C-alpha cells in the first residue's frame, strides 16, 4: 500500500486509488483464491521456481533449456545485456524493436483528437491516453529481435500515417523513428539501458519522444516509466512498469503526471494507472484513472484533486478486441505490422519484415530461425570490420545525428533528427505510378545495401 506521504501529495482521489482500492483488490482476490475460484492470477513479485515446470509445459521452454540458459546468464548479473550477449532464439517473438516502435501508432486517432481539441488540458488527456495505450501490447513476454545496423521498418497504410524507423547505431543499440499524418508528427530517438538481475531484467527507456500537433504547433515531450521483466527464467514470466509517466506541453508548461502502480502479491495494483493533468502553475485540472490493459477515464477536478461535483468520470480510451489464444499474444494491429500484405510497394530491402530469422520464427521453424539469426549477426560483425579497415563510419539514411545531447532520468542521449528524405522517397514512388509486381517475400534482406558510408 502506498505511504501516507505519497497519498497526501496526490490528493484524496489518488490516495483512494493507490491505497484502499489496491487493498480491496488484494483482499477480494485472496478470498476468491481461498474459495477455490478459477482464473485467479497469483503473482509472486519476488520471482521463484515454484511454477517453473508448469510454465515450461505452457511455453517454448524445456526444463533443461532453462537450466542451461541460467548457467550461461548467471555471470552477467548486474550487467547491461542490451548488446552484451548473444541470446537464444527461443526467447524471441517474430518482431523487431523497430516494429515494436510502430505499435505506438495503433491508437493514433487519439493524437488526431488531441490536435482537433481546443481545450489545452483535454489535449493532454488524449495524448497521454495514446502514450499509455501501447502498454497492452508491451505486456508480451517474448523479446523482439535487435535490429541490424541500417535495418528499417516502414508503414504507410494506417490512418494516413507515413512511418519510418531505422537502426542508427549498433554500439550502443539506438533506433530513430518518425511518423506523420495531417494532424501530427511523432519523432523518437530510442536507446534502451538494461540491468540483468538474475531472474529479472530492469529496462530503462533512455530516449526522447516528441509529438507536434500541427494545428497550433504544440510540442509534447514524453518520459515513460521503466519496465521490469519478472521471472525471466524460472516461474511465470510477466512484465510490470512501476513508476511515473510524464508528458509535458513544452509550449504552455502544462503537464500530465500518471503513476503506474507496482504489482503486489495476488496481483494487487497490477495494471492500475492514475494521476492528474496539471496547468503550468502545477494545479490539478483533470484526474485520470484506469488500467493500461483495459481502459482509461477522466474527470474534471478541483485544486485539491477531488472530482468536481456534478461531473462524471468519462472513458477516453478502451483497448480494441484482440485475437483469442493467439500464439504470440499479438493484437490485430501487431499482425498487421508483421504482414507482407500491408507492406508498401517498392519495399526497402532493409525492412524488418524481410529478416529470415524473424520470418522463420513466425513460421515455427526454431532451428532455421536460430541459424539465420547467427548468420545475420556474423554478417554484421564482418561488415563492421571491413568498414573500420577502410576508415569509414556509418551514417543513417533517413536520420541525421545532431549536436544535441539531452538528459534523461537514466542517462544522456544523443539525438537523431528525421531528415525528410523518406517523405521525398515515398512521394517519388507515388508520383511514378508504378506498381511493384515483385513478391516482397522473395526479396533478400539487405540492410547494408542502403548504408551511407563516408570517409571520416
Amino acid at each position: 500500500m502506498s505511504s501516507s506521504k505519497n497519498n497526501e501529495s496526490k490528493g484524496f482521489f489518488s490516495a483512494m486509488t493507490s491505497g484502499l482500492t489496491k487493498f480491496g483488490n488484494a483482499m477480494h482476490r485472496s478470498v476468491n483464491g481461498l474459495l477455490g475460484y478459477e482464473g485467479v492470477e497469483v503473482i509472486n513479485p519476488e520471482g521463484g521456481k515454484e511454477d517453473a515446470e508448469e510454465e515450461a509445459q505452457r511455453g517454448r521452454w524445456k526444463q533443461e533449456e532453462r537450466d542451461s540458459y541460467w548457467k550461461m546468464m548467471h555471470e552477467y548479473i548486474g550487467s547491461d545485456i542490451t548488446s552484451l550477449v548473444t541470446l537464444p532464439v527461443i526467447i524471441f517473438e517474430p518482431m523487431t524493436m523497430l516494429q515494436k516502435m510502430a505499435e505506438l501508432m495503433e491508437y493514433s486517432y487519439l493524437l488526431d483528437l488531441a490536435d482537433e481539441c481546443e481545450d489545452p488540458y483535454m489535449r493532454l488527456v488524449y495524448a497521454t491516453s495514446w502514450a499509455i495505450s501501447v502498454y497492452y501490447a508491451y505486456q508480451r513476454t517474448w523479446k523482439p529481435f535487435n535490429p541490424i545496423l541500417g535495418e528499417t521498418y516502414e508503414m504507410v497504410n494506417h490512418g494516413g500515417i507515413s512511418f519510418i524507423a531505422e537502426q542508427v547505431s549498433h554500439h550502443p543499440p539506438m533506433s530513430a523513428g518518425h511518423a506523420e499524418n495531417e494532424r501530427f508528427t511523432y519523432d523518437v530517438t530510442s536507446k534502451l539501458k538494461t540491468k540483468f538481475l538474475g531472474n529479472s531484467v530492469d529496462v530503462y527507456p533512455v530516449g526522447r519522444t516528441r509529438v507536434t500537433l500541427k494545428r497550433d504547433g504544440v510540442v509534447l515531450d514524453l518520459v515513460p516509466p521503466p519496465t521490469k521483466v519478472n521471472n525471466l527464467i524460472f516461474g511465470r514470466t510477466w512484465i510490470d512498469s512501476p513508476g511515473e509517466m510524464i508528458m509535458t506541453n513544452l509550449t504552455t508548461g502544462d503537464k500530465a503526471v500518471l503513476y503506474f502502480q507496482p504489482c503486489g502479491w495476488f496481483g494487487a495494483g497490477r495494471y492500475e494507472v492514475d494521476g492528474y493533468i496539471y496547468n503550468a502553475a502545477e494545479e490539478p485540472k483533470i484526474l485520470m484513472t484506469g488500467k493500461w490493459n483495459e481502459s482509461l477515464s477522466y474527470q474534471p477536478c478541483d485544486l485539491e484533486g477531488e472530482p468536481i461535483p456534478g461531473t462524471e468520470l468519462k472513458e477516453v480510451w478502451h483497448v480494441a478486441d484482440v485475437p483469442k489464444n493467439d500464439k504470440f499474444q499479438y493484437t490485430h494491429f501487431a499482425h498487421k505490422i508483421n504482414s507482407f500484405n500491408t507492406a508498401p510497394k517498392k519495399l526497402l530491402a532493409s525492412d524488418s519484415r524481410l529478416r529470415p530469422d524473424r520470418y522463420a520464427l513466425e513460421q515455427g521453424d526454431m532451428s532455421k530461425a536460430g541459424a539465420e539469426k547467427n548468420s545475420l549477426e556474423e554478417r554484421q560483425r564482418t561488415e563492421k570490420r571491413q568498414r573500420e579497415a577502410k576508415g569509414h563510419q556509418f551514417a543513417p539514411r533517413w536520420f541525421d545525428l545532431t549536436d544535441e545531447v539531452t538528459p534523461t532520468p537514466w542517462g544522456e542521449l544523443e539525438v537523431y533528427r528525421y531528415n525528410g528524405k523518406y517523405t521525398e522517397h515515398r512521394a517519388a514512388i507515388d508520383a511514378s505510378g508504378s506498381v511493384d509486381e515483385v513478391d516482397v517475400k522473395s526479396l533478400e534482406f539487405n540492410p547494408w545495401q542502403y548504408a551511407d558510408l563516408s570517409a571520416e
Side-chain angles (χ1 to χ4, degrees):
M1 193 176 296
S2 300
S3 68
S4 58
K5 181 178 180 181
N6 287 342
N7 286 342
E8 289 173 3
S9 67
K10 293 182 179 181
F12 174 77
F13 177 82
S14 229
M16 289 294 290
T17 303
S18 61
L20 298 180
T21 300
K22 184 192 297 185
F23 180 75
N25 284 346
M27 289 296 293
H28 174 72
R29 295 179 188 179
S30 60
V31 169
N32 279 350
L34 291 172
L35 293 176
Y37 288 1
E38 296 182 355
V40 179
E41 183 176 37
V42 180
I43 292 174
N44 176 354
E46 304 302 324
K49 303 181 181 181
E50 293 83 0
D51 59 353
E53 182 176 354
E54 175 190 351
E55 180 68 10
Q57 295 173 351
R58 292 175 63 242
R60 287 185 256 170
W61 284 107
K62 296 178 181 178
Q63 186 59 49
E64 60 270 21
E65 291 171 337
R66 287 179 181 267
D67 293 339
S68 175
Y69 185 52
W70 171 250
K71 291 177 182 178
M72 180 186 77
M73 296 298 294
H74 192 267
E75 63 181 287
Y76 297 106
I77 291 177
S79 300
D80 184 344
I81 58 169
T82 306
S83 59
L84 186 63
V85 294
T86 299
L87 300 174
V89 74
I90 195 171
I91 69 171
F92 285 77
E93 64 175 339
M95 182 180 287
T96 71
M97 282 299 300
L98 299 180
Q99 293 172 285
K100 197 138 186 164
M101 288 169 63
E103 285 196 83
L104 252 174
M105 294 296 109
E106 178 167 6
Y107 299 96
S108 58
Y109 73 88
L110 290 166
L111 291 181
D112 293 340
L113 292 174
D115 182 63
E116 296 171 5
C117 184
E118 295 184 0
D119 185 318
Y121 310 123
M122 281 304 301
R123 279 180 176 169
L124 281 173
V125 168
Y126 289 124
T128 307
S129 298
W130 161 79
I132 288 177
S133 67
V134 76
Y135 279 82
Y136 179 87
Y138 282 2
Q139 69 181 316
R140 298 194 303 266
T141 55
W142 307 118
K143 181 189 182 303
F145 285 94
N146 288 339
I148 300 295
L149 183 63
E151 183 175 335
T152 60
Y153 178 77
E154 54 180 326
M155 177 177 65
V156 297
N157 48 8
H158 174 68
I161 292 171
S162 173
F163 177 93
I164 181 68
E166 183 175 12
Q167 189 72 357
V168 296
S169 172
H170 182 55
H171 288 296
M174 294 179 65
S175 309
H178 174 82
E180 185 170 1
N181 68 1
E182 62 181 7
R183 291 289 186 181
F184 68 86
T185 61
Y186 156 84
D187 290 281
V188 61
T189 300
S190 175
K191 179 175 72 172
L192 294 182
K193 179 180 179 181
T194 64
K195 186 175 183 180
F196 180 59
L197 301 174
N199 199 31
S200 64
V201 174
D202 288 344
V203 182
Y204 305 98
V206 186
R208 191 184 78 167
T209 300
R210 294 279 172 86
V211 173
T212 301
L213 303 178
K214 289 186 173 181
R215 191 184 70 165
D216 294 332
V218 167
V219 179
L220 307 176
D221 178 83
L222 175 67
V223 178
T227 293
K228 190 178 188 70
V229 183
N230 301 276
N231 298 354
L232 184 65
I233 302 172
F234 299 104
R236 179 173 292 107
T237 305
W238 58 281
I239 294 176
D240 200 19
S241 296
E244 288 184 338
M245 169 182 284
I246 301 174
M247 178 173 281
T248 304
N249 184 329
L250 299 179
T251 306
T252 65
D254 305 329
K255 70 171 57 176
V257 181
L258 299 184
Y259 184 67
F260 286 58
Q261 301 287 352
C263 178
W265 285 86
F266 301 104
R270 191 180 186 194
Y271 310 119
E272 293 181 10
V273 181
D274 69 284
Y276 294 95
I277 307 298
Y278 297 91
N279 63 15
E282 299 187 355
E283 298 169 332
K285 305 299 292 186
I286 298 177
L287 62 85
M288 295 185 67
T289 186
K291 292 187 176 183
W292 52 257
N293 70 329
E294 292 180 7
S295 64
L296 289 170
S297 299
Y298 70 95
Q299 188 171 359
C301 65
D302 60 24
L303 295 181
E304 299 300 320
E306 310 290 347
I308 294 177
T311 64
E312 297 180 352
L313 194 65
K314 296 183 179 180
E315 186 176 89
V316 65
W317 165 79
H318 195 282
V319 68
D321 292 337
V322 297
K324 295 185 182 298
N325 302 317
D326 190 79
K327 180 178 181 181
F328 296 109
Q329 299 174 313
Y330 277 4
T331 64
H332 290 292
F333 186 71
H335 281 291
K336 180 178 179 180
I337 284 175
N338 249 358
S339 175
F340 286 104
N341 295 329
T342 62
K345 61 183 181 180
K346 302 294 183 182
L347 182 69
L348 296 170
S350 50
D351 194 88
S352 295
R353 296 176 184 86
L354 301 174
R355 282 185 62 140
D357 52 356
R358 186 212 65 78
Y359 186 66
L361 181 58
E362 186 177 44
Q363 299 302 306
D365 192 335
M366 299 289 291
S367 177
K368 184 177 181 180
E372 294 286 6
K373 178 176 178 290
N374 292 335
S375 176
L376 283 177
E377 290 171 348
E378 182 55 40
R379 288 180 67 186
Q380 180 164 233
R381 288 188 284 267
T382 299
E383 185 276 333
K384 179 183 178 182
R385 288 194 298 268
Q386 293 174 345
R387 173 163 38 88
E388 291 179 345
K390 296 177 181 178
H392 292 171
Q393 62 179 3
F394 172 81
R397 186 181 187 194
W398 311 112
F399 297 86
D400 297 331
L401 178 62
T402 69
D403 295 330
E404 184 178 359
V405 177
T406 187
T408 78
W410 305 283
E412 293 187 335
L413 175 76
E414 296 176 313
V415 176
Y416 284 79
R417 179 182 296 114
Y418 175 62
N419 58 27
K421 293 180 180 178
Y422 180 75
T423 302
E424 298 172 0
H425 166 76
R426 274 286 136 205
I429 291 175
D430 293 339
S432 69
S434 61
V435 178
D436 190 357
E437 297 180 355
V438 178
D439 180 5
V440 291
K441 286 188 286 187
S442 68
L443 294 176
E444 180 182 356
F445 176 66
N446 188 358
W448 303 279
Q449 176 181 344
Y450 299 105
D452 180 7
L453 302 177
S454 56
E456 293 182 327

